[in-house]
Amino acid sequence: EPEVTQTPSHQVTQMGQEVILRCVPISNHLYFYWYRQILGQKVEFLVSFYNNEISEKSEIFDDQFSVERPDGSNFTLKIRSTKLEDSAMYFCASSEERTQYFGPGTRLLVL
Amino acid sequence: KNEVEQSPQNLTAQEGEFITINCSYSVGISALHWLQQHPGGGIVSLFMLSSGKKKHGRLIATINIQEKHSSLHITASHPRDSAVYICAVYGPGGGADGLTFGKGTHLIIQP
């Protein structure tokens, strides 16, 4: 069964460093999403992407964040200058029309 | 902004019991997801529904759009059902909408 994959599974970085989180959505899906979950809190929407552009973004998704679909398969989330409060689990999801399928997540720890 | 409330926050039950988890939201939606999150963090989609009722194995989900309420039921509960169950709602738009999540219900089924 097709699934969304994410790499790396864990990443530790120093405050101020740039990180790139990678996702491979399900191949025939058209919509792509990033969410984050700070430890002990609910999942929060960051951004959605369709037709090679951002469709919707939350107030969390500020200028420090960017997304890209550099080729036909990968979907990336870049955090330019990480802060301590960026420590969270980041989930990628994709959908063909409506039902979203989630990747296993990348646990990011900013020190 | 949609407010998604789940109840109960925590639920401990004995194996075999019938489980009900409730979700209410403040603003009209186009569809709703029930998701399952295991201790490792991964999120699995259980149901996506926009009206009526859906059944999959021992799981049943219902939604009342007019009352802005959905329920997830588990029949003949089993310890492997222990997880966090999350309700998440779509906005009124199309497939590019990000989900708004509830805080989740922590379910423990004791043998």
Side-chain angles (χ1 to χ4, degrees):
Chain A
E1 185 174 328
E3 57 184 21
V4 178
T5 59
Q6 289 185 242
T7 55
S9 58
H10 295 79
Q11 179 145 7
V12 180
T13 190
Q14 295 290 325
M15 189 170 57
Q17 295 296 304
E18 174 184 286
V19 296
I20 298 176
L21 310 183
R22 291 183 168 79
C23 169
V24 179
I26 295 172
S27 63
N28 63 330
H29 284 186
L30 304 174
Y31 302 91
F32 314 112
Y33 314 83
W34 282 103
Y35 296 89
R36 78 172 186 191
Q37 185 177 33
I38 295 170
L39 188 64
Q41 298 186 22
K42 65 180 179 180
V43 180
E44 300 172 290
F45 168 70
L46 292 177
V47 66
S48 62
F49 193 87
Y50 171 71
N51 203 24
N52 285 319
E53 60 183 22
I54 290 174
S55 296
E56 185 187 4
K57 59 182 181 179
S58 71
E59 60 271 14
I60 303 168
F61 193 87
D62 61 22
D63 292 344
Q64 294 294 320
F65 293 91
S66 62
V67 289
E68 195 176 35
R69 189 156 161 82
D71 53 42
S73 59
N74 288 284
F75 179 50
T76 62
L77 174 70
K78 182 192 291 187
I79 309 175
R80 287 192 184 81
S81 178
T82 49
K83 308 185 195 75
L84 296 176
E85 54 265 37
D86 293 327
S87 295
M89 180 79 102
Y90 288 82
F91 293 101
C92 171
S94 70
S95 68
E96 187 177 8
E97 287 187 21
R98 188 48 72 93
T99 302
Q100 293 185 24
Y101 297 86
F102 288 79
T106 293
R107 191 173 298 278
L108 176 65
L109 178 61
V110 182
L111 300 176
Chain B
K1 186 180 175 182
N2 219 332
E3 300 293 331
V4 180
E5 298 291 335
Q6 288 186 236
S7 62
Q9 287 187 22
N10 298 284
L11 177 58
T12 299
Q14 295 298 120
E15 183 173 356
E17 287 189 39
F18 182 82
I19 303 299
T20 296
I21 299 169
N22 295 299
C23 174
S24 61
Y25 48 91
S26 57
V27 178
I29 62 170
S30 55
L32 177 148
H33 250 308
W34 279 103
L35 305 153
Q36 182 189 56
Q37 186 171 32
H38 280 281
I43 296 175
V44 175
S45 178
L46 299 174
F47 294 102
M48 197 278 291
L49 64 166
S50 55
S51 65
K53 178 178 174 179
K54 284 190 176 180
K55 185 175 190 291
H56 182 69
R58 295 180 293 106
L59 300 177
I60 303 166
T62 63
I63 188 168
N64 186 318
I65 292 287
Q66 287 75 29
E67 294 189 2
K68 298 186 179 64
H69 182 269
S70 176
S71 293
L72 176 69
H73 306 285
I74 305 174
T75 62
S77 59
H78 190 275
R80 65 175 174 266
D81 297 326
S82 299
V84 177
Y85 291 84
I86 303 172
C87 169
V89 302
Y90 290 89
D97 282 356
L99 291 165
T100 300
F101 287 73
K103 291 182 179 179
T105 294
H106 291 247
L107 175 65
I108 297 172
I109 304 296
Q110 295 178 334

